Amino acid sequence: MANVVVVGSQWGDEGKGKIVDWLSEQADIVVRFQGGHNAGHTLVIDGVTYKLSLLPSGVVRPNKLSVIGNGVVLDPRALIAEIERLKEQGIAVTPDNLRVAENATLILPLHQELDVAREKASGKGAIGTTGRGIGPAYEDKVGRRAIRLMDLADLKSLNGKIDRLLAHHNALRRGLGMNEIAPKTVYDELAAVAPQVLPYMDSVWLLLDNKRREGRRILFEGAQGALLDIDHGTYPYVTSSNTVASQAATGSGLGPSAIGYVLGICKAYTTRVGAGPFPTELPEGDPVGDGIGQRGREFGTVTGRRRRCGWFDAVLVRQTVRTSGIDGIALTKLDILDAEKEIKICVGYRLDGKEIDYLPASEHAQARVEPIYETAEGWHAATAGARSWAQLPGDAIKYVRRIEELIGCPVALLSTSPEREDTILMRNPFET
């Protein structure tokens, strides 16, 4: 019986929410281990749509324990608001089904203000952040000046920590022409949210270790995608955390031996939000790219931003298979390609006249790579709603098999619509 880590194997938005929900039926515990409320998951269950940004996808299922690990940066206001939204949809979130790591770093309003101000000041050099304060909060964590959830339980000792934090932030704000923040402002904000979030606080590393020893199945849910990893992604156009599978151990407090299977999620094509290199991008106005975007509803769950669309890039996915140690792929949105007469797959790159089979680490080299394509026949039939191989057109099966060959990894699950039941299972990650 394996504990399973789910990670995005592209630039995020691969459909992890549906796959995690599908797997969570077999899990006892679902853990978020990195990121913040900058990454959205959309779940469609029995025709009802749930949009989550911070809470683990398992929270919409009864009798499942959801956990927010220490690797997550937590905006307490966003957590409270998301719990209230789910309550309006009939989902009760209580300390019985949600626990939050006591050592999770908090996102404060000053982080969001700094995030927005720096992006604005960067002009054309902006990274394309969501402006949610994620990066500045991680900076404070690494700079050892962060306010953590456990600090709200001892308000008497909070003032000294706030002074240390503001010694850094007020200097930045002066440099950006922003007003300084009074310590009392930060204190009052934290004191106001403390009673609402502290009931969920727990020693998550100990909780998870005990559950693992009891034989409970744990599902680790990543946010964003491996190509946005701070170390292994398309730097500097990345997020502020490690998004590869190994972060599941660090971001939850469990050792790496607790991870039994890594499932990578990728679309049958490629999308990206924000700035940064995208070798197979179909430019805005291209009828194929625009058609994929419309049929795939490629707009951000959190920001509503249009996602850039392009052909499947086997080079990138093969690379993330290696950096995340992916054992199997969940291929999503195959049905979005149903309308295409022919489909291209990127099988390599050309850089300054030389063929290469990986994405170089250099920002400038990444901007210069040109995709090398092979063309596959479209299947001229519907895959939408298929729940078995027998229901798939022959050319669609050929496309999936070719992807497996190119990325060096088997497809374990195949998703053919947003509905959770429209999933073809080849290999159950929990039973490997």
Side-chain angles (χ1 to χ4, degrees):
M1 184 172 64
N3 295 323
V4 177
V5 178
V6 173
V7 294
S9 56
Q10 294 162 315
W11 279 294
D13 309 308
E14 301 96 347
K16 292 184 293 297
K18 171 192 168 172
I19 300 301
V20 170
D21 171 65
W22 192 89
L23 289 170
S24 68
E25 190 170 38
Q26 304 173 62
D28 300 299
I29 305 158
V30 183
V31 183
R32 268 287 303 272
F33 59 84
Q34 51 77 219
H37 65 305
N38 55 337
H41 290 164
T42 299
L43 311 179
V44 181
I45 304 172
D46 297 328
V48 179
T49 299
Y50 302 95
K51 294 187 176 183
L52 307 176
S53 299
L54 185 57
L55 292 168
S57 297
V59 78
V60 299
R61 294 205 159 275
N63 304 317
K64 307 293 179 182
L65 178 62
S66 291
V67 173
I68 296 176
N70 57 276
V72 174
V73 283
L74 179 79
D75 185 329
R77 299 170 304 162
L79 176 64
I80 295 164
E82 193 165 321
I83 289 172
E84 285 300 314
R85 285 197 301 272
L86 284 180
K87 183 179 179 181
E88 293 172 0
Q89 292 187 278
I91 302 295
V93 180
T94 72
D96 291 332
N97 63 355
L98 175 67
R99 304 291 177 83
V100 182
E102 61 185 356
N103 51 340
T105 291
L106 299 184
I107 300 174
L108 310 181
L110 58 83
H111 292 125
Q112 185 173 357
E113 293 167 5
L114 178 60
D115 200 354
V116 172
R118 288 200 301 205
E119 278 285 277
K120 185 177 180 180
S122 296
K124 293 182 179 180
I127 300 296
T129 76
T130 60
R132 301 297 176 98
I134 311 297
Y138 273 117
E139 290 173 34
D140 284 343
K141 177 179 180 176
V142 176
R144 293 165 291 187
R145 55 182 171 264
I147 305 296
R148 301 192 291 178
L149 180 58
M150 66 177 71
D151 296 328
L152 303 189
D154 185 11
L155 294 177
K156 293 180 180 178
S157 66
L158 199 54
N159 286 321
K161 295 174 182 179
I162 292 173
D163 288 342
R164 181 176 60 192
L165 179 70
L166 291 183
H168 173 80
H169 276 271
N170 278 335
L172 288 177
R173 294 173 75 91
R174 288 194 296 270
L176 289 166
M178 302 168 67
N179 293 329
E180 292 189 24
I181 299 176
K184 187 177 185 304
T185 300
V186 178
Y187 180 91
D188 290 345
E189 290 167 350
L190 293 173
V193 298
Q196 296 171 277
V197 295
L198 283 176
Y200 300 99
M201 186 175 73
D202 206 339
S203 298
V204 157
W205 67 271
L206 181 58
L207 170 71
L208 292 177
D209 184 64
N210 288 336
K211 296 295 185 182
R212 181 180 68 86
R213 292 174 187 275
E214 292 172 6
R216 302 301 179 93
R217 284 179 167 180
I218 304 173
L219 181 61
F220 298 90
E221 175 185 16
Q224 296 130 334
L227 293 171
L228 293 175
D229 186 272
I230 189 69
D231 289 300
H232 301 288
T234 49
Y235 191 90
Y237 300 98
V238 293
T239 194
S240 301
S241 62
N242 287 110
T243 57
V244 293
S246 56
Q247 178 63 18
T250 306
S252 67
L254 281 178
S257 61
I259 298 170
Y261 188 95
V262 179
L263 182 68
I265 318 297
C266 70
K267 289 175 180 171
Y269 50 96
T270 311
T271 63
R272 177 164 200 171
V273 171
F278 187 169
T280 64
E281 181 176 11
L282 295 165
E284 189 170 3
D286 180 277
V288 174
D290 288 353
I292 289 173
Q294 289 296 324
R295 292 192 301 275
R297 298 179 182 178
E298 297 298 350
F299 301 92
T301 301
V302 171
T303 63
R305 289 186 293 180
R306 175 189 177 274
R307 296 175 187 143
R308 301 153 63 190
C309 297
W311 295 116
F312 186 84
D313 192 330
V315 181
L316 289 181
V317 177
R318 181 170 64 241
Q319 195 159 322
T320 59
V321 163
R322 297 177 181 181
T323 58
S324 270
I326 293 172
D327 297 299
I329 287 288
L331 190 66
T332 66
K333 293 197 169 184
L334 182 68
D335 56 302
I336 303 305
L337 298 179
D338 287 354
E340 301 305 325
K341 294 181 179 179
E342 62 177 30
I343 299 166
K344 293 183 179 181
I345 307 173
C346 176
V347 298
Y349 297 139
R350 190 171 286 107
L351 177 61
D352 301 333
K354 179 182 177 182
E355 290 189 12
I356 59 175
D357 61 357
Y358 65 95
L359 185 69
S362 163
E363 173 187 358
H364 299 293
Q366 289 173 0
R368 297 199 309 276
V369 296
E370 301 172 3
I372 300 172
Y373 287 117
E374 68 177 34
T375 302
E377 283 290 325
W379 33 90
H380 314 294
T383 64
R387 298 182 181 182
S388 70
W389 277 109
Q391 295 176 304
L392 292 177
D395 284 324
I397 294 174
K398 289 180 183 178
Y399 180 71
V400 174
R401 294 305 188 200
R402 183 56 177 152
I403 284 176
E404 290 179 318
E405 291 176 9
L406 290 169
I407 67 176
C409 187
V411 172
L413 293 96
L414 186 65
S415 172
T416 58
S417 94
E419 291 291 340
R420 70 179 304 274
E421 299 301 333
D422 292 340
T423 305
I424 301 172
L425 175 67
M426 280 77 80
R427 184 177 185 181
N428 190 333
F430 276 116
E431 297 177 357
T432 56

